[in-house]
Amino acid sequence: MTTTLTLIQPDDWHIHLRDGDALATTVPHAAGSFNRVICMPNLVPPVKTTEQAIAYRERILDALMASDLAQARKDAFDPRMVLYLTDHTTSDDIRAAVASGVVSAVKLYPAGATTNSADGVTDIKGRYSVFETMQEIGLPLLVHGEVTHSDIDIFDREKRFLDDVLSDIISHFPSLKVVCEHITTSDAADFVLAQADNVAATITPQHLLFNRNHLLVGGVKPHYYCLPILKRQSHQQRLLQVATSGNPKFFLGTDSAPHATHTKESACGCAGCYSAVHALPLYAAAFEQMNALDKLENFASVFGANFYGLPVNTSTITLIKQAQTIPTSYTYLGDKTLTPLLAGTDIDWQVVSQ
């Protein structure tokens, strides 16, 4: 039985760090496990331009330097920026982003699909000139894959997006690099498998470990609430299969998304699971469940880097199979708290060194 697991240092290809005072909490948590992190741009206001992306990256690095990890991680932690695609994004914006060397991707949020997505795209076909430029220069399109029509059941919105929207984008731009972010269904897994190698997907720890029963049975549990929402157990099992299959189309993206506790535990709780600190132990638990711990390193540390055309990290991180209790909360935004996924419960793995 495996009791020690040493991996190439992983990257998180989908994380929310937020901004301002939140960075004092989220940046050290992310830097504790990951080298490169793809930072989602749905701030208030969103990161729409290269200048805003550069400024945001500087704020993230300032937060790292103000933390206890400053000396250990200052040369290793590499926040990668993403532009928020809007109805007004131009091809010139894309070229400027690539020229900066700071922006690694563009994020498509259908307007109203998730947290801070009000500025998202309302006319996807109107963005085709932007997609053409991205295809030409090799900049990936990261997709929050849900339609937002009020008449479409929330559990069906991912499949409808694949069928009605993404299939059309890919047919028009067959060489465009696309990441289907935080996929949640067997439909999405099979869709990605059916595409060429330029189409990939990230998978979160919550969608590997939980299904909608965890969210709803015995009362609504707000800290399991995320978007896209947890689906049936059969979808969870399919995600486990593809994540642990060794297929390079699937790689790690936590979608760790902080919200102050009082905004999660409210009459209209925010969507998002906060997992940054314990993401690697959670992934280890999922892969161990499938007798596939030998597949975790490629999923966490190799496949994403290869897809983005970046070198694989040379440092390592070690986990041991030893129980730890996840804290009930962290200090957040100065005088508030942040409740992590599985707060107060024991998990079987923990990070011991990097």
Side-chain angles (χ1 to χ4, degrees):
M1 182 177 66
T2 301
T3 57
T4 302
L5 191 61
T6 297
L7 308 172
I8 296 169
Q9 193 85 33
D11 303 304
D12 188 344
W13 301 103
H14 185 120
I15 195 169
H16 298 267
L17 298 177
R18 308 301 188 210
D19 204 355
D21 291 343
L23 298 176
T25 300
T26 61
V27 171
H29 285 177
S33 294
F34 301 106
N35 274 10
R36 288 168 295 219
V37 293
I38 289 281
C39 304
M40 291 299 109
N42 56 333
L43 309 180
V44 181
V47 178
K48 299 179 182 179
T49 68
T50 298
E51 291 76 15
Q52 290 169 342
I54 291 170
Y56 182 36
R57 187 172 191 271
E58 290 174 352
R59 294 194 297 274
I60 293 169
L61 293 175
D62 286 345
L64 176 67
M65 294 308 296
S67 75
D68 293 338
L69 289 176
Q71 292 306 309
R73 302 294 288 153
K74 65 178 181 179
D75 296 322
F77 185 63
D78 181 11
R80 316 288 296 193
M81 297 295 100
V82 177
L83 289 194
Y84 187 115
L85 186 67
T86 75
D87 288 337
H88 307 290
T89 304
T90 67
S91 293
D92 287 342
D93 293 331
I94 300 303
R95 293 189 181 94
V98 172
S100 74
V102 167
V103 176
S104 294
V106 171
K107 182 66 182 284
L108 168 59
Y109 292 101
T114 189
T115 303
N116 299 339
S117 61
D119 288 337
V121 174
T122 63
D123 178 13
I124 290 177
K125 290 188 177 181
R127 302 296 88 219
Y128 274 14
S129 62
V130 172
F131 297 155
E132 184 174 5
T133 302
M134 292 173 63
Q135 177 177 249
E136 174 189 334
I137 61 183
L139 189 66
L141 176 68
L142 313 185
V143 175
H144 182 110
E146 292 185 290
V147 296
T148 57
H149 314 305
S150 60
D151 60 323
I152 305 299
D153 190 288
I154 191 170
F155 292 103
D156 298 330
R157 291 181 177 187
E158 183 172 87
K159 184 178 188 306
R160 286 292 296 271
F161 183 89
L162 299 172
D163 294 343
D164 297 351
V165 180
L166 191 55
S167 293
D168 192 58
I169 293 173
I170 291 173
S171 69
H172 281 84
F173 307 100
S175 299
L176 177 65
K177 297 185 82 169
V178 176
V179 181
C180 299
E181 298 288 0
H182 44 51
I183 62 171
T184 67
T185 60
S186 58
D187 308 282
D190 293 338
F191 178 91
V192 170
L193 286 169
Q195 308 306 314
D197 290 344
N198 56 297
V199 179
T202 57
I203 307 179
T204 75
Q206 63 264 27
H207 290 105
L208 292 177
L209 290 171
F210 310 119
N211 57 65
R212 64 191 191 184
N213 280 352
H214 295 89
L215 171 65
L216 298 172
V217 171
V220 177
K221 302 175 186 66
H223 296 289
Y224 288 98
Y225 173 51
C226 58
L227 289 173
I229 199 166
L230 296 172
K231 304 299 196 300
R232 290 181 181 273
Q233 184 181 27
S234 59
H235 293 298
Q236 177 196 0
Q237 288 302 312
R238 184 63 177 136
L239 295 183
L240 282 165
Q241 290 170 1
V242 297
T244 61
S245 68
N247 190 307
K249 283 176 164 285
F250 303 96
F251 43 85
L252 185 154
T254 64
D255 194 21
S256 180
H259 295 280
T261 303
H262 74 280
T263 64
K264 286 288 286 179
E265 300 173 1
S266 69
C268 185
C270 297
C273 299
Y274 189 69
S275 63
V277 183
H278 303 99
L280 286 181
L282 295 177
Y283 280 115
F287 276 65
E288 184 177 40
Q289 175 183 326
M290 299 294 287
N291 296 312
L293 282 172
D294 60 315
K295 301 293 199 300
L296 179 58
E297 182 174 65
N298 280 334
F299 175 85
S301 312
V302 177
F303 293 155
N306 289 345
F307 183 85
Y308 276 88
L310 296 168
V312 174
N313 296 317
T314 57
S315 55
T316 61
I317 192 167
T318 299
L319 295 85
I320 60 170
K321 190 168 185 182
Q322 181 173 309
Q324 64 166 319
T325 302
I326 296 180
T328 56
S329 66
Y330 300 103
T331 300
Y332 187 59
L333 299 176
D335 60 349
K336 296 179 176 61
T337 63
L338 170 61
T339 301
L341 184 64
L342 291 179
T345 63
D346 291 341
I347 55 175
D348 289 340
W349 290 87
Q350 60 179 284
V351 173
V352 292
S353 67
Q354 61 178 0

